[in-house]
Amino acid sequence: MKQHFANLIDEEDTQIDMTPMLDVVFIMLIFFIVTASFVKEAGIDVNRPDAATAVQKDRANILIAISDKGEIWINKRQVDARAVQANIERLYAENPQGSVVIQADKLATTERLIQVMDAARAAGVFDVSIATQED
């Protein structure tokens, strides 16, 4: 009987405790998720006009793209012109210190650009910029 009891104790002592390793892995995962910087895209690539006085804009949280056909894209999906204000209001509510950057194609109409700018201002965002290509 004593021999059988001694074998059970030996088997228990030889098992490896994986809990500390899992804790370290989860802490590293959380660290990388928190420190990762995510690139926001409007949804399409546009040919932006050149500008000699272009200035780099930090904290551009709401990106809106206008294609050469007049399509409006927000968060990688096409949005109807009548729904732009509601989308901007929702995104601005998520991040109130953010700004709107409009990436308009060279061939986009000024009318569509003004519609998007008006929608941003009607949504309460007055920090609106137009993206250009550096000369």
Side-chain angles (χ1 to χ4, degrees), residues 21-39:
M21 187 184 76
L22 289 174
D23 289 343
V24 169
V25 170
F26 283 127
I27 289 171
M28 287 174 48
L29 178 67
I30 291 169
F31 173 77
F32 287 122
I33 289 173
V34 170
T35 59
S37 63
F38 299 102
V39 177

PDB file of all heavy atoms in Angstrom, residues 21-39:
ATOM      1  N   MET A  21       3.133  30.619 -17.547  1.00  0.00           N
ATOM      2  CA  MET A  21       3.439  30.869 -18.949  1.00  0.00           C
ATOM      3  C   MET A  21       2.231  31.484 -19.668  1.00  0.00           C
ATOM      4  O   MET A  21       2.371  32.418 -20.461  1.00  0.00           O
ATOM      5  CB  MET A  21       3.859  29.584 -19.658  1.00  0.00           C
ATOM      6  CG  MET A  21       4.338  29.845 -21.085  1.00  0.00           C
ATOM      7  SD  MET A  21       4.726  28.367 -21.988  1.00  0.00           S
ATOM      8  CE  MET A  21       3.099  27.779 -22.371  1.00  0.00           C
ATOM      9  N   LEU A  22       1.053  30.991 -19.400  1.00  0.00           N
ATOM     10  CA  LEU A  22      -0.155  31.554 -20.003  1.00  0.00           C
ATOM     11  C   LEU A  22      -0.369  32.996 -19.554  1.00  0.00           C
ATOM     12  O   LEU A  22      -0.794  33.843 -20.354  1.00  0.00           O
ATOM     13  CB  LEU A  22      -1.372  30.696 -19.656  1.00  0.00           C
ATOM     14  CG  LEU A  22      -1.435  29.331 -20.343  1.00  0.00           C
ATOM     15  CD1 LEU A  22      -2.600  28.522 -19.806  1.00  0.00           C
ATOM     16  CD2 LEU A  22      -1.544  29.491 -21.837  1.00  0.00           C
ATOM     17  N   ASP A  23      -0.095  33.288 -18.301  1.00  0.00           N
ATOM     18  CA  ASP A  23      -0.215  34.668 -17.821  1.00  0.00           C
ATOM     19  C   ASP A  23       0.711  35.601 -18.592  1.00  0.00           C
ATOM     20  O   ASP A  23       0.311  36.693 -19.000  1.00  0.00           O
ATOM     21  CB  ASP A  23       0.110  34.741 -16.326  1.00  0.00           C
ATOM     22  CG  ASP A  23      -0.961  34.103 -15.458  1.00  0.00           C
ATOM     23  OD1 ASP A  23      -2.084  33.898 -15.972  1.00  0.00           O
ATOM     24  OD2 ASP A  23      -0.673  33.837 -14.278  1.00  0.00           O
ATOM     25  N   VAL A  24       1.953  35.166 -18.795  1.00  0.00           N
ATOM     26  CA  VAL A  24       2.913  35.996 -19.533  1.00  0.00           C
ATOM     27  C   VAL A  24       2.452  36.201 -20.970  1.00  0.00           C
ATOM     28  O   VAL A  24       2.513  37.314 -21.510  1.00  0.00           O
ATOM     29  CB  VAL A  24       4.319  35.357 -19.489  1.00  0.00           C
ATOM     30  CG1 VAL A  24       5.267  36.049 -20.452  1.00  0.00           C
ATOM     31  CG2 VAL A  24       4.865  35.405 -18.071  1.00  0.00           C
ATOM     32  N   VAL A  25       1.947  35.166 -21.607  1.00  0.00           N
ATOM     33  CA  VAL A  25       1.487  35.276 -22.991  1.00  0.00           C
ATOM     34  C   VAL A  25       0.313  36.242 -23.089  1.00  0.00           C
ATOM     35  O   VAL A  25       0.263  37.091 -23.984  1.00  0.00           O
ATOM     36  CB  VAL A  25       1.120  33.883 -23.552  1.00  0.00           C
ATOM     37  CG1 VAL A  25       0.404  34.007 -24.888  1.00  0.00           C
ATOM     38  CG2 VAL A  25       2.367  33.024 -23.698  1.00  0.00           C
ATOM     39  N   PHE A  26      -0.634  36.153 -22.185  1.00  0.00           N
ATOM     40  CA  PHE A  26      -1.781  37.060 -22.214  1.00  0.00           C
ATOM     41  C   PHE A  26      -1.373  38.503 -21.932  1.00  0.00           C
ATOM     42  O   PHE A  26      -1.885  39.434 -22.549  1.00  0.00           O
ATOM     43  CB  PHE A  26      -2.868  36.612 -21.234  1.00  0.00           C
ATOM     44  CG  PHE A  26      -3.668  35.455 -21.750  1.00  0.00           C
ATOM     45  CD1 PHE A  26      -3.822  34.316 -20.995  1.00  0.00           C
ATOM     46  CD2 PHE A  26      -4.277  35.506 -22.996  1.00  0.00           C
ATOM     47  CE1 PHE A  26      -4.573  33.247 -21.464  1.00  0.00           C
ATOM     48  CE2 PHE A  26      -5.016  34.445 -23.481  1.00  0.00           C
ATOM     49  CZ  PHE A  26      -5.156  33.310 -22.711  1.00  0.00           C
ATOM     50  N   ILE A  27      -0.447  38.713 -21.028  1.00  0.00           N
ATOM     51  CA  ILE A  27       0.032  40.072 -20.749  1.00  0.00           C
ATOM     52  C   ILE A  27       0.729  40.647 -21.971  1.00  0.00           C
ATOM     53  O   ILE A  27       0.532  41.807 -22.323  1.00  0.00           O
ATOM     54  CB  ILE A  27       0.952  40.066 -19.506  1.00  0.00           C
ATOM     55  CG1 ILE A  27       0.108  39.817 -18.253  1.00  0.00           C
ATOM     56  CG2 ILE A  27       1.714  41.382 -19.392  1.00  0.00           C
ATOM     57  CD1 ILE A  27       0.919  39.579 -17.001  1.00  0.00           C
ATOM     58  N   MET A  28       1.527  39.834 -22.661  1.00  0.00           N
ATOM     59  CA  MET A  28       2.183  40.306 -23.881  1.00  0.00           C
ATOM     60  C   MET A  28       1.157  40.624 -24.963  1.00  0.00           C
ATOM     61  O   MET A  28       1.278  41.635 -25.673  1.00  0.00           O
ATOM     62  CB  MET A  28       3.176  39.251 -24.390  1.00  0.00           C
ATOM     63  CG  MET A  28       4.426  39.156 -23.539  1.00  0.00           C
ATOM     64  SD  MET A  28       5.538  37.803 -23.993  1.00  0.00           S
ATOM     65  CE  MET A  28       5.670  37.951 -25.738  1.00  0.00           C
ATOM     66  N   LEU A  29       0.133  39.808 -25.097  1.00  0.00           N
ATOM     67  CA  LEU A  29      -0.920  40.057 -26.087  1.00  0.00           C
ATOM     68  C   LEU A  29      -1.631  41.374 -25.799  1.00  0.00           C
ATOM     69  O   LEU A  29      -1.831  42.198 -26.707  1.00  0.00           O
ATOM     70  CB  LEU A  29      -1.914  38.897 -26.077  1.00  0.00           C
ATOM     71  CG  LEU A  29      -3.105  39.026 -27.018  1.00  0.00           C
ATOM     72  CD1 LEU A  29      -2.629  38.957 -28.455  1.00  0.00           C
ATOM     73  CD2 LEU A  29      -4.112  37.942 -26.735  1.00  0.00           C
ATOM     74  N   ILE A  30      -1.972  41.610 -24.560  1.00  0.00           N
ATOM     75  CA  ILE A  30      -2.629  42.868 -24.182  1.00  0.00           C
ATOM     76  C   ILE A  30      -1.710  44.050 -24.459  1.00  0.00           C
ATOM     77  O   ILE A  30      -2.141  45.085 -24.968  1.00  0.00           O
ATOM     78  CB  ILE A  30      -3.062  42.820 -22.702  1.00  0.00           C
ATOM     79  CG1 ILE A  30      -4.198  41.816 -22.532  1.00  0.00           C
ATOM     80  CG2 ILE A  30      -3.487  44.198 -22.209  1.00  0.00           C
ATOM     81  CD1 ILE A  30      -4.520  41.488 -21.099  1.00  0.00           C
ATOM     82  N   PHE A  31      -0.435  43.903 -24.145  1.00  0.00           N
ATOM     83  CA  PHE A  31       0.526  44.976 -24.393  1.00  0.00           C
ATOM     84  C   PHE A  31       0.583  45.334 -25.872  1.00  0.00           C
ATOM     85  O   PHE A  31       0.537  46.499 -26.245  1.00  0.00           O
ATOM     86  CB  PHE A  31       1.915  44.562 -23.886  1.00  0.00           C
ATOM     87  CG  PHE A  31       2.999  45.529 -24.242  1.00  0.00           C
ATOM     88  CD1 PHE A  31       3.140  46.714 -23.553  1.00  0.00           C
ATOM     89  CD2 PHE A  31       3.863  45.263 -25.289  1.00  0.00           C
ATOM     90  CE1 PHE A  31       4.137  47.617 -23.881  1.00  0.00           C
ATOM     91  CE2 PHE A  31       4.866  46.150 -25.630  1.00  0.00           C
ATOM     92  CZ  PHE A  31       5.002  47.330 -24.927  1.00  0.00           C
ATOM     93  N   PHE A  32       0.667  44.336 -26.739  1.00  0.00           N
ATOM     94  CA  PHE A  32       0.759  44.606 -28.170  1.00  0.00           C
ATOM     95  C   PHE A  32      -0.533  45.188 -28.723  1.00  0.00           C
ATOM     96  O   PHE A  32      -0.509  46.038 -29.614  1.00  0.00           O
ATOM     97  CB  PHE A  32       1.156  43.344 -28.937  1.00  0.00           C
ATOM     98  CG  PHE A  32       2.594  42.969 -28.737  1.00  0.00           C
ATOM     99  CD1 PHE A  32       2.946  41.742 -28.226  1.00  0.00           C
ATOM    100  CD2 PHE A  32       3.608  43.870 -29.047  1.00  0.00           C
ATOM    101  CE1 PHE A  32       4.266  41.396 -28.033  1.00  0.00           C
ATOM    102  CE2 PHE A  32       4.937  43.538 -28.858  1.00  0.00           C
ATOM    103  CZ  PHE A  32       5.266  42.302 -28.354  1.00  0.00           C
ATOM    104  N   ILE A  33      -1.663  44.773 -28.219  1.00  0.00           N
ATOM    105  CA  ILE A  33      -2.931  45.331 -28.687  1.00  0.00           C
ATOM    106  C   ILE A  33      -3.055  46.796 -28.286  1.00  0.00           C
ATOM    107  O   ILE A  33      -3.464  47.642 -29.072  1.00  0.00           O
ATOM    108  CB  ILE A  33      -4.121  44.513 -28.137  1.00  0.00           C
ATOM    109  CG1 ILE A  33      -4.161  43.144 -28.826  1.00  0.00           C
ATOM    110  CG2 ILE A  33      -5.437  45.251 -28.340  1.00  0.00           C
ATOM    111  CD1 ILE A  33      -5.182  42.202 -28.242  1.00  0.00           C
ATOM    112  N   VAL A  34      -2.675  47.124 -27.064  1.00  0.00           N
ATOM    113  CA  VAL A  34      -2.803  48.498 -26.573  1.00  0.00           C
ATOM    114  C   VAL A  34      -1.830  49.433 -27.276  1.00  0.00           C
ATOM    115  O   VAL A  34      -2.165  50.574 -27.593  1.00  0.00           O
ATOM    116  CB  VAL A  34      -2.590  48.530 -25.037  1.00  0.00           C
ATOM    117  CG1 VAL A  34      -2.464  49.943 -24.523  1.00  0.00           C
ATOM    118  CG2 VAL A  34      -3.746  47.822 -24.338  1.00  0.00           C
ATOM    119  N   THR A  35      -0.628  48.965 -27.551  1.00  0.00           N
ATOM    120  CA  THR A  35       0.375  49.852 -28.134  1.00  0.00           C
ATOM    121  C   THR A  35       0.339  49.899 -29.659  1.00  0.00           C
ATOM    122  O   THR A  35       1.023  50.719 -30.251  1.00  0.00           O
ATOM    123  CB  THR A  35       1.796  49.433 -27.702  1.00  0.00           C
ATOM    124  OG1 THR A  35       2.033  48.090 -28.132  1.00  0.00           O
ATOM    125  CG2 THR A  35       1.964  49.562 -26.202  1.00  0.00           C
ATOM    126  N   ALA A  36      -0.438  49.051 -30.291  1.00  0.00           N
ATOM    127  CA  ALA A  36      -0.501  49.045 -31.758  1.00  0.00           C
ATOM    128  C   ALA A  36      -1.204  50.303 -32.251  1.00  0.00           C
ATOM    129  O   ALA A  36      -2.182  50.768 -31.671  1.00  0.00           O
ATOM    130  CB  ALA A  36      -1.242  47.803 -32.246  1.00  0.00           C
ATOM    131  N   SER A  37      -0.676  50.865 -33.309  1.00  0.00           N
ATOM    132  CA  SER A  37      -1.335  52.013 -33.927  1.00  0.00           C
ATOM    133  C   SER A  37      -2.035  51.522 -35.177  1.00  0.00           C
ATOM    134  O   SER A  37      -1.433  50.874 -36.030  1.00  0.00           O
ATOM    135  CB  SER A  37      -0.325  53.107 -34.260  1.00  0.00           C
ATOM    136  OG  SER A  37       0.599  52.617 -35.198  1.00  0.00           O
ATOM    137  N   PHE A  38      -3.295  51.813 -35.270  1.00  0.00           N
ATOM    138  CA  PHE A  38      -4.093  51.331 -36.376  1.00  0.00           C
ATOM    139  C   PHE A  38      -4.211  52.422 -37.427  1.00  0.00           C
ATOM    140  O   PHE A  38      -4.476  53.578 -37.115  1.00  0.00           O
ATOM    141  CB  PHE A  38      -5.479  50.911 -35.885  1.00  0.00           C
ATOM    142  CG  PHE A  38      -5.423  49.797 -34.891  1.00  0.00           C
ATOM    143  CD1 PHE A  38      -5.563  50.040 -33.540  1.00  0.00           C
ATOM    144  CD2 PHE A  38      -5.215  48.497 -35.310  1.00  0.00           C
ATOM    145  CE1 PHE A  38      -5.497  49.012 -32.619  1.00  0.00           C
ATOM    146  CE2 PHE A  38      -5.139  47.461 -34.397  1.00  0.00           C
ATOM    147  CZ  PHE A  38      -5.288  47.720 -33.052  1.00  0.00           C
ATOM    148  N   VAL A  39      -4.011  52.058 -38.669  1.00  0.00           N
ATOM    149  CA  VAL A  39      -4.114  53.000 -39.771  1.00  0.00           C
ATOM    150  C   VAL A  39      -5.560  53.032 -40.229  1.00  0.00           C
ATOM    151  O   VAL A  39      -6.139  52.003 -40.556  1.00  0.00           O
ATOM    152  CB  VAL A  39      -3.196  52.576 -40.939  1.00  0.00           C
ATOM    153  CG1 VAL A  39      -3.354  53.510 -42.112  1.00  0.00           C
ATOM    154  CG2 VAL A  39      -1.760  52.515 -40.469  1.00  0.00           C
TER     155      VAL A  39
END
